[in-house]
Amino acid sequence: MTQVDLEQGQPSLNAMRSGTNPPLIARKRGIFPELAAEFFGVLILVVFGTGVNCAVTLSSNPGSVLGPPKGDWVSVSFGRAAGIGLGVWISSRISAGHVNPAATLAMAIIREFSWKKVPLYVFAQLLGGICGAGIVYGNYIHAIDAFEGGRHIRTLATAGLFDPPAADYLTNISAFFEEFLGTAILLFAICSARDKREGTDSQEPTGIHGDTAERAAIVAFITILGISISIGAQTGFSLNPARDLGPRILTAMVGYGRQVGVSAYDFFFYTGKDSIFNKE
């Protein structure tokens, strides 16, 4: 029977915490808290990861409006590692803590994560990527203007701040292998951190708590830092479709789409000498 506070006639705090009689508003929320957790997890990941790209690159030119150079590849590595560590830590306490469509799909295929949640999780993650990139763009818009030479000038020089391109010398297969390798290592590490062998039930609830969530966040931080410093330099180590596609959508929305589209056409089809891709 539900414990009752005799003075107020309301379910006690202990009863609410035990889950025997959750408040009505909690029951009405349904899956929304999980989706919000995935959204904010990816948003934080992108804010940190894309933000450090802007801080380092936009301060690299002599006379930059940002002043002296703000860092290098090590700074980028730590910024992105902090982003995923904090994103996983926050989301893991409420949702499955994937903050990555690849992780969501893998868990649905291998760990019996509900397929009904997959499209909702992916949508929330992608939206988090778009909004996170939007926050960074708004924060650095004046520095981008100064770097590009004007408010309405948007080129590949700063588009790469939001969706870092792979090195020119890489083949598609080589780029795929680097991203595949990094993603596999990350998922392996996260699954290991969340393994509860000491418990009597091997299946975790949607949200994980306490030591497990904190351990997953620390492992995510260390893993991304290691991947970045060791094998991530050639492709920018996106390792995350939401982190990659979300900022790309944002750049198309704010004026980069025309430049990117022309570049793609010139690279594959155009033969005129007035294109940078055809200069001798």
Side-chain angles (χ1 to χ4, degrees):
M1 180 177 296
T2 302
Q3 299 177 4
V4 177
D5 187 318
L6 296 179
E7 295 182 358
Q8 299 182 7
Q10 297 293 331
S12 70
L13 182 59
N14 289 336
M16 291 182 181
R17 287 176 175 173
S18 68
T20 57
N21 187 22
L24 178 61
I25 190 171
R27 297 197 299 270
K28 292 295 185 179
R29 286 174 182 156
I31 195 177
F32 180 78
E34 295 179 44
L35 302 182
E38 292 293 315
F39 168 84
F40 283 109
V42 175
L43 183 146
I44 291 172
L45 184 160
V46 171
V47 166
F48 277 59
T50 304
V52 72
N53 288 346
C54 290
V56 171
T57 302
L58 297 177
S59 65
S60 62
N61 282 359
S64 166
V65 294
L66 291 181
K70 305 302 182 186
D72 51 21
W73 184 250
V74 175
S75 305
V76 172
S77 300
F78 270 97
R80 294 187 180 182
I84 192 171
L86 186 57
V88 168
W89 185 74
I90 290 175
S91 61
S92 290
R93 294 174 174 271
I94 303 171
S95 69
H98 294 163
V99 295
N100 188 335
T104 299
L105 185 60
M107 293 300 104
I109 294 173
I110 300 174
R111 290 287 186 89
E112 297 184 354
F113 180 77
S114 174
W115 280 101
K116 293 181 180 180
K117 293 183 178 182
V118 170
L120 298 175
Y121 264 53
V122 171
F123 177 77
Q125 293 158 355
L126 181 60
L127 190 60
I130 296 172
C131 292
I135 290 172
V136 173
Y137 181 77
N139 185 63
Y140 281 102
I141 188 168
H142 298 296
I144 293 174
D145 290 346
F147 191 92
E148 291 278 26
R151 172 58 55 89
H152 301 294
I153 303 174
R154 292 296 181 262
T155 69
L156 296 177
T158 56
L161 299 175
F162 299 91
D163 47 275
D168 294 337
Y169 59 81
L170 285 182
T171 65
N172 290 335
I173 294 177
S174 296
F176 172 81
F177 176 76
E178 182 164 303
E179 290 291 307
F180 174 84
L181 177 62
T183 303
I185 293 173
L186 176 62
L187 291 178
F188 185 90
I190 294 295
C191 287
S192 177
R194 295 177 57 172
D195 195 352
K196 301 196 306 180
R197 291 181 182 274
E198 69 275 16
T200 57
D201 185 0
S202 61
Q203 290 192 356
E204 298 177 349
T206 298
I208 60 178
H209 303 277
D211 293 342
T212 306
E214 294 168 2
R215 185 167 63 244
I218 293 172
V219 168
F221 173 88
I222 294 173
T223 305
I224 285 296
L225 181 61
I227 291 172
S228 172
I229 292 175
S230 59
I231 61 173
Q234 298 185 113
T235 62
F237 66 102
S238 293
L239 312 182
N240 186 331
R243 182 260 171 274
D244 184 77
L245 182 57
R248 288 179 188 270
I249 293 175
L250 185 280
T251 56
M253 293 168 61
V254 298
Y256 286 95
R258 183 180 305 169
Q259 174 70 23
V260 174
V262 171
S263 298
Y265 181 87
D266 281 14
F267 181 79
F268 288 107
F269 304 110
Y270 190 62
T271 59
K273 297 297 183 181
D274 55 334
S275 172
I276 60 172
F277 296 107
N278 298 323
K279 293 185 181 297
E280 297 181 355

